[in-house]
Amino acid sequence: MSGALSERYGSMFDLTGRSVLVVGGGGIGAEVAAALAAHGAAVTVADVDAAVAAAVAERVGGRSAAVDVTDTGSVAALAAAGAPDVLVTTVGMNVRRSLAGYSDAEFDRVLSVNLRGVFTLIRAFGPVMAAAGRGSFVAYSSIRAQTVEPGQGAYAATKAGLVQLVRTAAAEFGPSGVRFNAVAPGVVATELTGQIRADEAWSQAYARRSALGRWAEPAEMTGAAVFLASDASSFVTGSVLLVDGGWTAVDGRFDPPLPG
């Protein structure tokens, strides 16, 4: 490779000197923090559980912070520390229940974490990143923003809403040099999907549902974050990057057992 080509393209994914804030230290978030650190970023891990954030930060050689995305003051305090070059949020929760069986408290909790939490992060960090004239904000959505099944109604609604928030933020903050994108994972072996994997029929049905015929590991969700954080995606904003093993490309259905 010529020197000119190497200079232009060889460092496209290099994050050396970039400050990255990963909000949500469990599951996918822990692997995202590790991958970004491996590409040279200075990573801060924030989580509602300070111990989780500290453990991941120690693993990746970064810093930690406690934050509750459902608390406006908590998020504002985190943003007051300054604008990161990159913010990645993987926060999310689910209550698997039929719509008719949902309680008001359950619905409000899912909405508060998955949708309002991301809105609060955008509202707090969008302006400070815009003031810095740069930045990449990456929010983890889900294939459930596009395709649903019984018991996923509230979760799917929040993930679809998240995508629209990200698209709107891309439009509003784009002129200031800040990019906003979403990543939509398929079925990933994390604590959030433990209920599914504990049921053999359900687990196998999910594995067969994707084009690749298997579950994903959390580490397989990190390449999208590295790409969207880096200069390789400098003209990518308002997009949703599917990392679903072909789930949304093929057709199938499974009705899981549901309470309520």
Side-chain angles (χ1 to χ4, degrees):
M1 181 183 296
S2 70
L5 288 178
S6 179
E7 182 178 352
R8 182 169 186 178
Y9 298 114
S11 61
M12 289 180 70
F13 295 94
D14 184 8
L15 299 176
T16 300
R18 308 281 176 91
S19 60
V20 175
L21 174 62
V22 177
V23 182
I28 292 172
E31 298 306 316
V32 166
L36 294 171
H39 282 77
V43 178
T44 297
V45 182
D47 196 275
V48 67
D49 187 331
V52 168
V56 177
E58 182 177 6
R59 173 190 171 197
V60 305
R63 301 168 60 188
S64 67
V67 67
D68 180 354
V69 297
T70 68
D71 183 332
T72 299
S74 178
V75 174
L78 188 63
D85 295 308
V86 180
L87 189 154
V88 181
T89 174
T90 66
V91 295
M93 67 161 297
N94 194 10
V95 176
R96 299 178 187 277
R97 196 178 306 281
S98 65
L99 290 174
Y102 246 89
S103 70
D104 288 348
E106 288 170 334
F107 185 85
D108 288 345
R109 179 61 177 164
V110 174
L111 188 73
S112 180
V113 174
N114 296 2
L115 187 58
R116 184 178 175 184
V118 173
F119 163 73
T120 303
L121 288 168
I122 291 173
R123 184 176 60 183
F125 283 93
V128 297
M129 294 171 86
R134 67 185 189 284
S136 174
F137 188 111
V138 182
Y140 273 68
S141 178
S142 169
I143 56 170
R144 293 304 174 207
Q146 295 184 223
T147 178
V148 301
E149 69 179 8
Q152 295 272 40
Y155 181 80
T158 60
K159 291 301 186 178
L162 180 158
V163 168
Q164 294 302 81
L165 283 178
V166 165
R167 286 171 171 161
T168 304
E172 293 182 357
F173 294 105
S176 297
V178 187
R179 299 182 293 110
F180 285 79
N181 292 286
V183 177
V187 293
V188 186
T190 66
E191 183 178 348
L192 190 66
T193 57
Q195 178 187 359
I196 299 170
R197 289 179 289 110
D199 183 307
E200 185 63 23
W202 199 354
S203 180
Q204 288 300 315
Y206 266 41
R208 292 191 298 268
R209 177 63 179 80
S210 75
L212 295 181
R214 63 176 177 83
W215 283 71
E217 293 299 323
E220 294 180 286
M221 299 299 111
T222 66
V226 173
F227 167 65
L228 292 172
S230 74
D231 290 342
S233 62
S234 60
F235 203 62
V236 180
T237 194
S239 296
V240 181
L241 178 54
L242 286 159
V243 189
D244 66 350
W247 181 293
T248 53
V250 299
D251 189 26
R253 178 183 173 92
F254 175 68
D255 289 327
L258 296 171

